[in-house]
Amino acid sequence: MSLVESAHESVRSRTLLVRSLQFVRPLKRQIAGISALAIIVAALGVAEPLLLKRIFDALGARASITALVVLASVLLGLLAARTALEALLNASTWRTRLGVDYRLREALLGKLGVLPLSYHQRESVGGTVNRVNRGIDGYVNAFSEIAFKLTPALAYLILATVALFRLEWRLAVIVLAFTPLPALIGVWAAREQTERERKLMQRWTTLYSRLNETLDGIRIVKSFAMEEVERRRFLSGQREGNAIVERGARTDATTSALRGFAAILARIAVLIAGSILVSRGQVTVGTLVAVLGFVGALLGPVQGLTDVYQTLQRGTVALETIYDILDAPDTVADVAKPIKLADARGEVRFEGVSYSYDNGTRVLHDIHLHVTPGETVAIVGPSGGGKTTMSLLLQRLYPLDAGRITVDGVNIRDISARTLRQNISAVYQDIGLFNDTVRDNIAYGRPTANDSDIEEAARMAFAHDFIMALPDGYDTVVGEHGSRLSGGQKQRIGIARALLKDAPILVLDEATAALDARSEAHVQQALANAARGRTTFIIAHRLATVVNADRIVVLRDGRIEAIGTHVDLMHQGGYYAKLVNGQMGGMLLSNAA
Ligand code: ADP
C-alpha cells in the first residue's frame, strides 16, 4: 500500500469512527456509569498489592496475630468487593453492548428496506445477512473493548505508576522500562489482524450468499443432481476461510506468547534488582512482593491500551461494511416534502419515459401513454420488450432516466413512496408468498383486514374452495415461497391479496400464467370484477385477457409500436394481428417477434 493510500485510508477510518458515535451517543450516560464503576474496580486492584505489602511487612516485623487477622480480613473484604463489582460491571456492559447492537440493526434494516430494487439485485440475500451480522458483531466488540477497557486500563496505569514510585522508585523505573514491549508486539501483529478481518469478511460473504442461493433453489439443485458439487464448493470456501483463521490464530498465539515472555522478563528483572535491594536492607520484602504484584497486573492494562489501535482497525473493517450499506445511494428516495396521495382516482401518464438498468442498455425509449381512471390497458409484446419494467417504474422501484410518470397529474417523484405504493396493487407471476398462513399471506397488504374481508377476497379470486380443502383451511402454512401450493393456487392467493388491498390502480403481470383452463375462466371473471372501477394494467399472453381490455399497447424493444382496441389493431394488421392470427390455444405467442 502506498503512503498516499494509507493516509487516505486512515482518514476514512477516522471519519467512519467519528460517524459511528451516532450509535453510541444515546448511551453515553450508561457508558459514563460503567466507566465510573470500572475506575473503582481499578483502584481496588491497585490497593491489593499495597495491602499485601502491609501483610508481608507485618510478618517480617513479627506483628501480633490480631494485627495480621485484621489485615487479612481487609484483604478478603477488598477481594470480595472487587469480585462483586466486576460481576455488576459485566452485566452492565452487556446491557450497553446490546443497546449499540440494537441501534445498528435498527439503522441497517431501515436502510435495507428503503434501498432501491437495484441494490438488492446486485447484492445477494445471504451475503447481505452475513455482512449485517458480522459487521454489527465486529463493531460492537471493538466498541466494547474501547468503551469498557480503555478507562479502567488508563486509571489502573496512572494509579499503579504513582503507587510504584511511592513504594520504590528504582524498581518502578525497571517495571516501566518493560511496559513498551507489549505495545511493540501489538503493533507488529496489528496489520495482519486488520487484513485478516477484511479477507474473512469477503470470504464469508461470498460463501454464505451462495449457500443461501443453494438452499433457496434446492429444488433446482436436486433436480440437476448438483448437491455434491454445491457441497464441495461450500466446503472448499469454508476451508479457505478456515485457513485464514488458522494463520491468524498462529499470529495471535505468537503475540500472546511474546507478551507472556515480556512479563516474565520484567518479573525476573524486578526480582533480581529487588533481591539486591532487600539484601542491602534498602527495601522490605513486603515492598518487593507488592512491586512483583504490580508487574503482572500492569502489563495487562498496558497491553489493553496498545490493543486500542488494532481494535480500532478491526472496528473500522466492520464499520466499512456497515457504512457500505448505510451510505448506499437511495436513488428512489422521497423528496424532502413528499405529497401524500390519499385515494387516487387512478389517472396514469407516462410522458417521454426512458430507462436503462445498471448495465446501461436502454430498455424503454420515450414512452408516452395516457391511461384514464378506470381504464383497462393490456400491454403485449415479445418477452424482454420492457413490459414488466414499465410496471416497476410506475411503482417508483427504479429512478427514471428521462421523462416523468404522473398519477392523478402528480409526478410520482413527488409522492411519498409509501402512499404511491398503497395506491397500486401489483400481482406478478412470482407471487412472493411468505412461509406463513394463507390468511396472513392474503392480508399482507392490509394487515388490519378481518376474516370476512379476507374470505370475500379469496372468493372473488376463486381461491376460497381450494383453501377450505387445505388441511387447516385459512390457517394452513404455505411453506417458503408457497412451496406447498400449486402454481395456480399461488396465483389465486396473489390475486386475492391484490383484491383485498383494494387499490385504485391494479397491475397484473403474467398473473394468470399458471392457471389451468378451468380456473382461468373463473379468474378471468374475477379479474374483470376486480378491474371494474380501477385503472388496470394487464401484461398477459392470454388472448382472452387481452381482447377485453379497453386498449391494447404493443411494446417492442422498449418502444410503443401501436395503441388501440382489439378491433383497431386487427385492422392495422401489424404485429398484434399477426400474433392473434398465430395464436395457439388462447395463448398469444409472446416470443413470436
Ligand atoms: P418484459 O416484461 O417485456 O418481458 P422486462 O421489462 O422484464 O421485459 O425486461 C426488459 C429488458 O430489461 C430485458 O432485456 C431484460 O433482460 C432487462 N432487465 C430486466 N430486469 C433487469 C435488471 N434488474 N437488470 C438489468 N436488466 C434487466
Side-chain angles (χ1 to χ4, degrees), residues 47-93:
E48 211 177 289
L50 295 179
L51 209 56
L52 272 177
K53 170 187 155 57
R54 286 286 192 86
I55 294 176
F56 274 85
D57 285 348
L59 276 173
R62 305 198 182 286
S64 68
I65 295 289
T66 334
L68 281 174
V69 168
V70 169
L71 283 173
S73 319
V74 174
L75 182 63
L76 197 71
L78 198 78
L79 291 176
R82 201 172 124 190
T83 314
L85 285 181
E86 269 174 352
L88 182 63
L89 198 58
N90 229 336
S92 334
T93 49

Side-chain angles (χ1 to χ4, degrees), residues 78 96 134 150-151 196 327 330 386 394 429 432 440 444 453 484 491 504 548 576 591:
L78 198 78
T96 315
R134 282 189 76 87
L150 201 59
T151 329
R196 182 200 321 170
D327 292 343
D330 181 2
L394 171 62
Q429 190 169 7
D440 288 344
Y444 192 66
D453 295 336
R484 294 198 200 123
Q491 285 201 325
N548 292 324
Y576 180 77
N591 287 319

Side-chain angles (χ1 to χ4, degrees), residues 443-464:
Y444 192 66
R446 219 178 100 193
T448 52
N450 61 31
D451 284 355
S452 70
D453 295 336
I454 292 172
E455 194 181 309
E456 191 188 321
R459 281 185 196 280
M460 279 186 42
F462 287 87
H464 177 73

Side-chain angles (χ1 to χ4, degrees), residues 356-362:
S356 14
Y357 285 101
D358 290 343
N359 59 14
T361 323
R362 185 140 280 196

